[in-house]
Amino acid sequence: MNVSLKNISKRYLYEWIIKDFSHDFASNSITGINGINGSGKSTLIKMISGFLSVSEGAIEYQFDKQKIERSDVFQYVSIAAPYTDIIQEYDVFEMFAFHKKMKRLRSDYTLNDFLDLVNLTKTKGKAIKFYSSGMKQRLQLALAVLSDTSLLLLDEPTSYLDMQNKRWFYTLLKQNLKGRTTIIASNDAEDFQFCKEVIDLQA
């Protein structure tokens, strides 16, 4: 998917969070968005995902040279971020089954395959609300990265992961970058190791 941002701005009350920002995210590109907390990284990701509308400017989407309307973008996007959530009352089996109804996966994973991948086999009967922050993060990241979507958005993807689980995430991400446009917002330079370009919002 190609995503073209044309002089977009976002204002909350009287404060401009993003102002006159333009960039073309080409199909199959891997781009990082760097910036300190409050620099507008999450706002930018939310606007690209269609969750937030722009105050000024426009965002245009193309898939296979066909224009995608903003109302249809959700069909092409998977996202993992601190402000997105999984259904806390579900166990991992219910969450996996629910997600597969909404998004097709890139490979034909069985539940057991998925549980092994995210290392949650021992907790499959436990409600997600009782998971640790790191366990929830692994589950959310795996569902987003493994979804068969042409646009992958990751906001602070390793914020709750220890070093071992960061390595797990980087391996999973590397294996699932092909054939999609990936945008990663973070203030951790290690998260940009696969990026061909890093945009600095503080510049």
Side-chain angles (χ1 to χ4, degrees):
M1 175 178 280
N2 181 275
V3 183
S4 182
L5 280 54
K6 300 180 181 296
N7 298 112
I8 66 167
S9 300
K10 184 63 181 179
R11 181 176 64 186
Y12 291 108
L13 298 176
Y14 300 104
E15 182 181 3
W16 291 98
I17 307 301
I18 300 285
K19 185 66 174 174
D20 295 327
F21 182 84
S22 297
H23 191 79
D24 285 328
F25 297 93
S27 294
N28 302 315
S29 62
I30 309 164
T31 307
I33 301 174
N34 182 45
I36 60 173
N37 294 339
S39 60
K41 301 188 304 297
S42 294
T43 298
L44 191 59
I45 291 290
K46 289 177 182 178
M47 289 191 289
I48 294 171
S49 73
F51 180 78
L52 281 181
S53 59
V54 301
S55 299
E56 294 179 355
I59 302 179
E60 297 178 357
Y61 307 87
Q62 279 194 342
F63 180 71
D64 283 346
K65 299 183 180 179
Q66 298 295 317
K67 181 179 179 181
I68 305 300
E69 298 298 332
R70 182 175 177 271
S71 58
D72 295 325
V73 167
F74 73 94
Q75 300 177 52
Y76 300 84
V77 176
S78 55
I79 181 171
Y83 43 82
T84 60
D85 208 353
I86 42 188
I87 301 173
Q88 301 289 316
E89 290 72 28
Y90 279 3
D91 62 23
V92 67
F93 173 80
E94 293 168 318
M95 190 65 232
F96 180 72
F98 176 78
H99 186 85
K100 285 183 69 175
K101 291 180 180 178
M102 307 298 291
K103 301 281 186 183
R104 187 175 63 182
L105 298 183
R106 290 166 67 89
S107 297
D108 189 22
Y109 287 92
T110 66
L111 174 63
N112 287 333
D113 293 336
F114 183 77
L115 289 173
D116 288 342
L117 178 67
V118 294
N119 193 24
L120 292 175
T121 302
K122 295 180 180 179
T123 64
K124 63 181 179 180
K126 182 188 292 188
I128 293 169
K129 64 183 177 182
F130 297 117
Y131 284 12
S132 68
S133 296
M135 292 163 66
K136 291 178 183 178
Q137 185 82 337
R138 288 203 311 273
L139 177 57
Q140 189 176 30
L141 286 168
L143 290 172
V145 172
L146 295 176
S147 293
D148 188 16
T149 54
S150 58
L151 179 59
L152 174 63
L153 303 175
L154 301 170
D155 191 354
E156 303 291 354
T158 61
S159 54
Y160 295 112
L161 301 183
D162 57 25
M163 288 306 300
Q164 179 179 346
N165 284 305
K166 285 178 77 170
R167 289 193 293 271
W168 164 86
F169 165 68
Y170 296 137
T171 298
L172 180 71
L173 182 62
K174 184 178 181 180
Q175 293 170 344
N176 289 278
L177 289 170
K178 186 177 180 180
R180 69 201 319 181
T181 303
T182 303
I183 304 173
I184 302 170
S186 180
N187 52 20
D188 185 341
E190 193 175 8
D191 290 347
F192 302 139
Q193 60 186 275
F194 306 121
C195 296
K196 306 303 182 184
E197 177 184 17
V198 177
I199 300 166
D200 191 348
L201 290 186
Q202 302 169 77

